[in-house]
Amino acid sequence: MRKPSKFLVATMIAALALGLVAGCGTSGTSGTANQAPVKKIKIGFSLPTLKEARYPIDKDSFVKAAQDLGAEILVQTANNDETLQKSQVEDLITQGINVLVLDPQNAVSAADLVNEAHNAKIKVISYDRLIMNADVDAYVSFDNEKVGELQGEYITKQVAKGNYFVFAGAPTDNNATLFKKGAMKFIQPLVDKGDIKVLFDQPVPDWDPAKAMTMAENALTANKNNVNAILAPNDGTAGGIIQALAEQKLAGKVVVTGQDSELAGIKRIVAGTQSMTVFKDVRTEAQETAKLAVEMAKGQAPTLNSKVNNQKIDVPSLLLTPIVVTKDNIDKVLVDSGWFTKAQVYGN
Ligand code: GAL
């Protein structure tokens, strides 16, 4: 056998020093010469918008939780534009993500994105809003029908007889359907009894507060301001509706619901112009989703607490519990949980 040249010996010593030679005493978990270095798990996170105050919290909580679990996160937000979301998701797919976490702008057309992801062997978690008619791998959200029930129960307790305006969220969002379904469980029986009259019943495209305001202005005019209660599906639309009420000096005189526990909504509750909101701790929603995404990327099959049908399959789901917030429990629910400080809620 030929003696190794001086150059080869020197190279081997250098390589040993760097720990690059196979079997040179490392435990072999990562980065040895005959093993590819362990690749970081890559997760794509696509949000429909950052407009509602909740979404920056979803985003930051998700990124932090997933990074703490060692994953790399690519985030996209689509400005309520489903075409933009499609191209953003396609871009994420080409960047080699292992799992796609998708909060769809359009629950129906997002099914195509699930198929595209699956073709690239990427698992899909439907985040907050359910993607319809697709083989979604998992769904994480709140019990959205329950959100609507909380709104419906509250508003019918406050106004058991009278004139109602019923606003719903974006027709492209399956949550909006569920919120309304839940609320109508309480409102409809009183309509059938003849105690409640629904004078207005329309969805707000894109959950847009400015559109909600115009719609409320028109409904008030058409009904000569004759309204006792307004079902608003979230705090954003409630804000627009309450502005329209204020123009008619009716803010605080009409019961208005909400959802999301946005600071602006909470301040209106303190001021008495909005009656209630719903707290969904989206920090938990985002953290649970990050955990699930990492587990799925590792090929684990996590156990979830529910199944939700999306008109194609029963999607394994994790549904969290929403909580009613009124003037009486702001401190307990929102301050004690660190959602807001007292100064934020009661300061100027
Ligand atoms: C829903 C979501 C709500 C609300 C709304 C507007 O899907 O569950 O929390 O923010 O969208 O974006």
Side-chain angles (χ1 to χ4, degrees), residues 48-49 52 54-55 80 103 128-129 141 144 173 175-176 179 206-207 234 259-260 262 280 282:
T49 175
E52 274 84 22
R54 62 162 286 179
Y55 291 110
N80 282 325
D103 187 345
D128 197 72
R129 303 174 177 173
S141 190
N144 292 306
D173 177 355
N175 283 353
F179 299 148
D206 289 336
W207 298 88
N234 73 345
Q259 168 186 194
D260 285 340
E262 287 187 4
K280 302 189 298 187
V282 300

Side-chain angles (χ1 to χ4, degrees), residues 23-284:
C24 65
T26 67
S27 63
T29 46
S30 72
T32 56
N34 60 354
Q35 271 178 304
V38 174
K39 269 222 219 136
K40 252 197 172 183
I41 289 166
K42 249 195 208 179
I43 301 169
F45 188 49
S46 168
L47 285 171
T49 175
L50 285 181
K51 272 182 196 148
E52 274 84 22
R54 62 162 286 179
Y55 291 110
I57 305 171
D58 289 270
K59 177 171 154 273
D60 294 348
S61 311
F62 185 86
V63 169
K64 164 125 193 6
Q67 279 173 348
D68 286 351
L69 293 166
E72 182 185 338
I73 321 301
L74 306 174
V75 182
Q76 294 283 6
T77 59
N79 202 21
N80 282 325
D81 177 344
E82 67 175 277
T83 315
L84 177 60
Q85 186 169 48
K86 182 172 156 62
S87 66
Q88 289 177 335
V89 167
E90 285 168 349
D91 189 48
L92 289 173
I93 291 173
T94 61
Q95 292 192 59
I97 51 172
N98 305 97
V99 176
L100 170 67
V101 177
L102 175 56
D103 187 345
Q105 166 63 17
N106 185 315
V108 175
S109 64
D112 291 344
L113 297 175
V114 177
N115 295 334
E116 287 183 41
H118 280 171
N119 288 340
K121 309 233 173 328
I122 297 165
K123 295 239 187 286
V124 182
I125 301 176
S126 196
Y127 183 73
D128 197 72
R129 303 174 177 173
L130 186 59
I131 302 163
M132 304 305 285
N133 248 304
D135 293 311
V136 178
D137 299 287
Y139 176 45
V140 181
S141 190
F142 286 81
D143 181 340
N144 292 306
E145 203 167 314
K146 178 83 188 169
V147 170
E149 287 170 13
L150 296 176
Q151 294 169 331
E153 186 179 13
Y154 180 90
I155 199 169
T156 52
K157 262 199 192 137
Q158 301 299 311
V159 181
K161 276 188 185 177
N163 293 340
Y164 271 53
F165 292 172
V166 171
F167 287 76
T172 45
D173 177 355
N174 182 60
N175 283 353
T177 311
L178 298 175
F179 299 148
K180 182 162 180 202
K181 185 175 171 206
M184 291 315 285
K185 280 189 194 166
F186 289 85
I187 298 171
Q188 193 59 47
L190 298 175
V191 173
D192 296 342
K193 245 173 100 182
D195 289 349
I196 287 176
K197 267 204 196 109
V198 176
L199 302 176
F200 168 96
D201 187 353
Q202 274 178 42
V204 182
D206 289 336
W207 298 88
D208 184 341
K211 286 185 186 140
M213 180 174 162
T214 310
M215 290 161 77
E217 285 168 348
N218 293 339
L220 286 168
T221 309
N223 295 286
K224 303 194 169 57
N225 287 352
N226 214 342
V227 64
N228 308 103
I230 302 183
L231 181 77
N234 73 345
D235 291 345
T237 52
I241 291 163
I242 289 165
Q243 252 179 282
L245 287 171
E247 285 165 4
Q248 303 302 316
K249 311 239 175 319
L250 287 176
K253 296 190 178 135
V254 177
V255 171
V256 182
T257 59
Q259 168 186 194
D260 285 340
S261 293
E262 287 187 4
L263 188 56
I266 296 302
K267 283 187 174 292
R268 287 191 296 267
I269 292 178
V270 172
T273 56
Q274 184 173 323
S275 316
M276 61 85 81
T277 185
V278 175
F279 178 49
K280 302 189 298 187
D281 196 335
V282 300
R283 297 170 301 189
T284 311

